[in-house]
Amino acid sequence: MKILGIETSCDETAAAVVEDGSKILSNVVVSQIDIFAEYGGVIPEVAARSHLEVMMPVINKALKDASCNWDDIDAIAVTHAPGLLGSLLIGTLTARTLAVLHDKPLYAVHHLKSHVYANWINTSSNGKEITACPSDTLRAALANSSCSAGHIAISFPLLALVVSGGHTQILYMREHDSFEIIGTTHDDAVGECFDKVAKILGLPYPGGPSIAKEAEKGDENKYKLPHPKLEGLDFSFSGLKTAVLRAVQKELGLPISHPSHDLKNHLTGEMRADFAASFQKTAIDILNEKLEMATRLHPDVKSIVFAGGVSANKKLREKAASKFSRDYPVFFPEPKLSGDNGAMVGAAAFYEIQAGVKPTDPYSLNIYPRVSIEV
Ligand code: KG4
Ligand code: ZN
């Protein structure tokens, strides 16, 4: 089954053709990073206009790269929630029009589902290469779910840690297309926190990759930053951002009234790198500690998957692998599929269809900028 996946929830215009939920035939992503680097963040109206300009060329390229014409496409899938209103509108209106025009079934996909399903996409059709090797005992126990090439299938129930610019959630998945939120952020998402801390440090947008790069030069133990005192599996990241702000002001001997946008002009290169590394370490430790607590509360879990833009972070991957892989197979999306893309939309729709979800009416499909994955 070949699905055309369309994604425009934030600042990437993306389309892809995915076969049977796992094989990428094409994957085209046009990022608006260059536009927003100048402003230090996304401007929703500008994002929507940019989607409008490149949407059809991106879809046409996805079809061409996949050597497909419309007759080869079995269904169209599009992100309809959550995200920026104007951005979601462009993707969904395009998908609705194309579904009517070419008489294709249309599937509306939740953005976080798509991020999770990026883990099922693989160049190999037999399951996912295991990213972090579990102990031999576990490997043997999982042998039944392995293919002959030694790939290990992702088994249920599982825990998914979704870490993006808009969300930080721990999801419990009993089976395909079944999501229970067991932990969520009370304020900022972790990706948002990377972006805001980068701004304080004078690092370019988007903050995640630039902090990760800067952190390579720094000492992650230089500045002690607090972990939020939040019971249970929920997160809070706005305090960490403020803690970095206060620590920078203190290090520079400036009062707390000193404007945050000016601090970058006073930081030395060494301080900047040490702050980036110390912040990154703290954010990653917070994520992994909560995830560890979730594994204790859900002893039936058989695997762990990471999803969302922040899951591209190399340090997060290394630390999570060393913490969990003795007891669980741990999966990460291919790094280029951690961020927003159309392939994950096509993959998620495939598994929704397998789970019995029916197509949506192209004449009435709505968008939901702030809806939960559980709805
Ligand atoms: O999933 P995504 O592409 O879009 C949303 O759904 O929000 O996530 C974007 C977020 C941004 O906050 C970006 O700074 C962060 O992911 N990010 C990273 C890295 N790459 C992207 N954060 C940490 N380390 C990275 N390597
Ligand atoms: Zn995303």
Side-chain angles (χ1 to χ4, degrees), residues 197-213:
V197 168
K199 241 181 178 174
I200 297 171
L201 301 180
L203 295 167
Y205 175 85
S210 47
I211 285 197
K213 188 157 170 250

Side-chain angles (χ1 to χ4, degrees), residues 12 111 115 164-166 191-192 194-195 206-209 212 308-310 312-313 338-340:
E12 261 96 26
H111 187 57
H115 272 304
S164 71
E192 188 180 353
F194 268 86
D195 295 337
V310 183
N313 188 283
S338 280
D340 294 346

Side-chain angles (χ1 to χ4, degrees), residues 267-304:
L267 285 168
T268 64
E270 190 181 341
M271 284 176 190
R272 184 173 287 113
D274 289 345
F275 272 115
S278 303
F279 159 71
Q280 179 176 257
K281 174 194 186 311
T282 311
I284 290 172
D285 286 351
I286 292 168
L287 293 172
N288 282 335
E289 278 162 24
K290 289 287 178 173
L291 189 54
E292 187 176 34
M293 191 189 291
T295 61
R296 285 199 302 272
L297 294 170
H298 294 271
D300 56 336
V301 157
K302 293 208 179 71
S303 35
I304 295 176

Side-chain angles (χ1 to χ4, degrees), residues 42 56 91 145 151 157 161 175 178 212 228 252 276 298 312 325 372 375:
V42 178
M56 279 317 296
S145 56
H151 298 123
L161 179 65
E175 58 193 341
S178 149
L252 296 173
H298 294 271
S325 64
S372 160
V375 175

Side-chain angles (χ1 to χ4, degrees), residues 242 244-260 263 275:
T242 311
V244 173
L245 175 64
R246 297 287 174 254
V248 172
Q249 288 164 329
K250 187 169 171 223
E251 181 74 9
L252 296 173
L254 294 166
I256 61 168
S257 56
H258 195 92
S260 59
L263 295 170
F275 272 115

Side-chain angles (χ1 to χ4, degrees), residues 13 44 48 53 57 88 95 109 112 122 143 172 175 182 190 199 201 221-222 268 274 281 314 350 352 356 364 370:
T13 317
E53 279 170 18
L88 289 169
V109 181
L112 298 195
N122 197 0
Y172 176 85
E175 58 193 341
I182 58 169
V190 62
K199 241 181 178 174
L201 301 180
N221 296 311
K222 178 71 185 286
T268 64
D274 289 345
K281 174 194 186 311
K314 253 168 73 186
F350 176 80
E352 279 194 355
S364 63
R370 293 181 62 85

